[in-house]
Amino acid sequence: MHRWLVIGHKGQLGSDVMELLTSRGANPLGMDLPELDVGDFDATRAKLLELKPDVVINTSAYHLVDKCEEHFTEAFHINAAAPRNLAKICEDLNATLMHFSTDYVFGGQTLAGAWTETDRPEPQSIYATSKLAGEHLVRENCEKHFVIRTCGLYGKAGRRPVGGSFVETMIRLSTSGKPLQVVNDQTVAPTSTAELAMTLLTLIDTGRYGLYHLTNAGECTWYDFAQEIFRLIGATPTVTPVSTAQYGAKAKRPVYSILDNHKATSLGVPAMSHWKEALATYIKKRT
């Protein structure tokens, strides 16, 4: 039986990983700020030496994409320096480290197919650059690593009034009575954290360390995603599709964020369901 430590256990993915591990009879330990600041190497090393986990799942990140453009020091501290700390400590403990990255490491190109793990990243923002740096630092400093790129995460822990998931934001705004604008020129693969959590545990069991892409299947624009959310909840707000330029976000976003999952499925890891199926399951369970 593994000794599990989930860092960022109160977030969308972390909470679903904790729940799944607990349901399978494990006794995972979850930690987060302020009890554990992974940016503090000495304090983190002391805590992990005390706990002696053999699998560390790090879901912590600075993921406020637009704010990263102004707070770049904090972004690199949390998204790059902190994962490096964990990687060095896990290497010393001979522990497995699973760390999460993002589709944002790819740039403005549109491919004929999905991005693979061997395609060259081209980050377009401070957030994306800091996450790519974190990838490299984990891979360089911990032999037993899994680095997971994923896209468009949503989960039940995203049900908060400010800064929640896209799904929960759309559900909340659907009753505001105000017209909505949603970007329609960015292609994404919305991904359920509950389903991703199940896939992650299967991947860990393979012992095949490395960089992997994991998302729900299919693709859509954010506008398409919003329309499917409204259809499932029976809402009919006024929604206008807009371009990225019209929306005017501070940080650049990828135009095409579809990630090829073949590397993982070739190991026998089950393919994740279509994003519409996963979304329907999420909506059904939240009501």
Side-chain angles (χ1 to χ4, degrees):
M1 181 70 72
H2 288 304
R3 297 186 301 278
W4 301 88
L5 173 62
V6 180
I7 299 173
H9 71 296
K10 296 177 182 178
Q12 294 184 112
L13 179 56
S15 61
D16 279 329
V17 170
M18 290 286 289
E19 183 175 311
L20 182 59
L21 285 170
T22 301
S23 73
R24 293 184 175 185
N27 187 28
L29 179 64
M31 302 196 78
D32 209 335
L33 290 170
E35 57 190 334
L36 180 66
D37 176 5
V38 291
D40 183 331
F41 181 86
D42 291 336
T44 302
R45 179 178 173 80
K47 177 58 68 174
L48 267 63
L49 286 173
E50 173 191 337
L51 299 175
K52 295 182 172 60
D54 55 21
V55 180
V56 177
I57 299 181
N58 177 40
T59 69
S60 64
Y62 191 138
H63 51 70
L64 300 175
V65 178
D66 293 319
K67 287 190 175 181
C68 285
E69 294 298 302
E70 298 176 357
H71 303 283
F72 52 86
T73 300
E74 186 174 1
F76 275 90
H77 177 71
I78 297 172
N79 293 339
R84 178 202 59 199
N85 291 346
L86 285 173
K88 288 180 174 290
I89 296 164
C90 285
E91 180 69 12
D92 289 345
L93 291 174
N94 194 32
T96 296
L97 173 61
M98 177 169 277
H99 175 69
F100 294 88
S101 189
T102 172
D103 58 288
Y104 278 53
V105 301
F106 295 109
Q109 312 97 314
T110 299
L111 299 184
W115 294 106
T116 71
E117 292 85 352
T118 58
D119 287 323
R120 182 170 63 88
E122 194 172 307
Q124 301 289 300
S125 66
I126 295 296
Y127 168 73
T129 304
S130 68
K131 291 296 289 181
L132 183 59
E135 287 187 17
H136 288 300
L137 289 165
V138 167
R139 296 168 70 185
E140 289 172 4
N141 288 287
C142 181
E143 180 179 356
K144 296 168 65 174
H145 69 266
F146 292 96
V147 172
I148 309 299
R149 291 179 183 149
T150 189
C151 175
L153 295 183
Y154 63 90
K156 61 184 178 181
R159 298 178 69 171
R160 47 184 180 262
V162 179
S165 72
F166 181 83
V167 174
E168 294 299 331
T169 298
M170 290 299 103
I171 292 173
R172 185 177 72 253
L173 292 177
S174 71
T175 61
S176 69
K178 298 178 181 179
L180 307 178
Q181 294 185 331
V182 183
V183 171
N184 197 35
D185 60 357
Q186 296 172 23
T187 302
V188 297
T191 300
S192 159
T193 54
E195 192 168 338
L196 178 58
M198 291 188 287
T199 306
L200 298 174
L201 298 190
T202 304
L203 179 60
I204 287 173
D205 286 343
T206 69
R208 300 286 294 274
Y209 307 114
L211 171 66
Y212 291 91
H213 290 174
L214 293 175
T215 64
N216 278 114
E219 62 182 60
C220 62
T221 67
W222 290 110
Y223 175 78
D224 297 332
F225 189 19
Q227 292 288 54
E228 183 66 8
I229 294 165
F230 299 142
R231 187 188 71 80
L232 288 169
I233 65 174
T236 56
T238 300
V239 190
T240 302
V242 297
S243 68
T244 299
Q246 287 173 308
Y247 192 79
K250 181 172 293 186
K252 289 183 178 180
R253 267 71 169 174
V255 172
Y256 189 75
S257 289
I258 307 307
L259 305 177
D260 189 323
N261 289 207
H262 177 73
K263 182 179 176 182
T265 58
S266 69
L267 300 179
V269 176
M272 296 172 68
S273 68
H274 192 277
W275 71 266
K276 285 187 177 181
E277 180 183 340
L279 177 62
T281 298
Y282 175 81
I283 296 293
K284 183 177 181 180
K285 287 184 176 180
R286 79 178 292 282
T287 55

